Amino acid sequence: MALNPGTYQVGRMADCWLTLDDDLVSRYHARFVVSAGSLEVEDLGSRNGTYVNGRRLEGRIKLADADQVRIGREIISVLGPGGSDASDDADDSLRRTLGPGEETQFPTLIGQLVEKSLKVGKIKEAERYALALTNQLMGARVPGDHPTAVSCVRCLVALAEKTSSGVWLDRAFKLHASHGWLMRDDVKKQVLVALDRIPRVPGTGLEEYEQALRQMTKDGVDVPPQLVATIAELSDAYGGA
């Protein structure tokens, strides 16, 4: 996903664009500045410094395609927007971003981090990563069977079950509604399991998804009637802002 013009802070604080649970990272460690045709990074007086291609950053510099920014133990690689073809649009919309990891697969890596954090019981860390992944997908046009979409939905449902919080299910339903995804049978089963521990799903995600499915049906999309019925039942039983 291409970043819109603006500033993006990285640090340990929850209100950062990218929150890193790393003792080498300062509360507000560095800032990326995006403008038309330009990407810059500056250190915010961090204790351990920000490094660009192995050299400690002084002041603010402009970044180029393939530059690597190290903040704490994380490597953030920069990818330019060029070099794609039509068949790779979905993948490219996710790759044209900033993200931790030398492979520059930001969304894929975050999905793995959510799963790893859940396994070791780091719930707050998993929640921060899941929120970042959801925000990435909300702005990218990808099909429901895209690996990152599948990973994100799986992580959100797993978080809902682990925390007994319907907030994460609401995000999953909003993603489906926003992109017109047909919920997979395995995801429906996971959602039903999670709802055994959740009294309600706050927000408007269920209602939005129910309306989206009905509109898709009117528009001639082959929506399974059972899916419409299931989401309608869930909306009646668990929905509510």
Side-chain angles (χ1 to χ4, degrees), residues 154-211:
R154 182 174 65 242
C155 290
L156 291 174
V157 177
L159 257 177
E161 185 177 4
K162 193 77 172 180
T163 62
S164 299
S165 173
V167 169
W168 300 106
L169 291 183
D170 179 65
R171 293 186 183 279
F173 286 123
K174 282 183 178 293
L175 270 176
H176 279 77
S178 174
H179 294 292
W181 294 341
L182 298 179
M183 184 168 285
R184 295 152 43 115
D185 288 339
D186 61 319
V187 173
K188 282 195 297 181
K189 292 178 181 178
Q190 293 170 0
V191 167
L192 293 174
V193 170
L195 286 172
D196 285 341
R197 304 176 57 182
I198 297 172
R200 74 184 186 93
V201 179
T204 59
L206 260 171
E207 180 183 354
E208 290 176 17
Y209 190 41
E210 180 184 5
Q211 293 175 351

Side-chain angles (χ1 to χ4, degrees), residues 84-92:
S84 64
D85 57 46
S87 63
D88 293 328
D89 283 347
D91 285 321
D92 289 341

Side-chain angles (χ1 to χ4, degrees), residues 67-192:
D67 279 346
Q68 293 192 329
V69 181
R70 179 164 65 83
I71 298 176
R73 297 179 178 87
E74 296 289 347
I75 302 293
I76 297 177
S77 297
V78 180
L79 273 183
S84 64
D85 57 46
S87 63
D88 293 328
D89 283 347
D91 285 321
D92 289 341
S93 68
L94 291 168
R95 290 175 180 153
R96 289 198 297 271
T97 187
L98 295 170
E102 293 182 87
E103 297 301 319
T104 67
Q105 300 293 330
F106 180 54
T108 301
L109 287 175
I110 287 191
Q112 295 171 357
L113 288 170
V114 173
E115 295 176 354
K116 181 179 178 181
S117 298
L118 286 174
K119 287 180 180 178
V120 299
K122 295 184 177 181
I123 304 301
K124 292 298 183 183
E125 184 174 307
E127 289 177 336
R128 288 197 297 269
Y129 286 133
L131 181 59
L133 180 54
T134 306
N135 289 339
Q136 290 281 330
L137 275 175
M138 284 298 288
R141 295 181 180 179
V142 295
D145 59 356
H146 188 282
T148 301
V150 173
S151 175
C152 181
V153 172
R154 182 174 65 242
C155 290
L156 291 174
V157 177
L159 257 177
E161 185 177 4
K162 193 77 172 180
T163 62
S164 299
S165 173
V167 169
W168 300 106
L169 291 183
D170 179 65
R171 293 186 183 279
F173 286 123
K174 282 183 178 293
L175 270 176
H176 279 77
S178 174
H179 294 292
W181 294 341
L182 298 179
M183 184 168 285
R184 295 152 43 115
D185 288 339
D186 61 319
V187 173
K188 282 195 297 181
K189 292 178 181 178
Q190 293 170 0
V191 167
L192 293 174

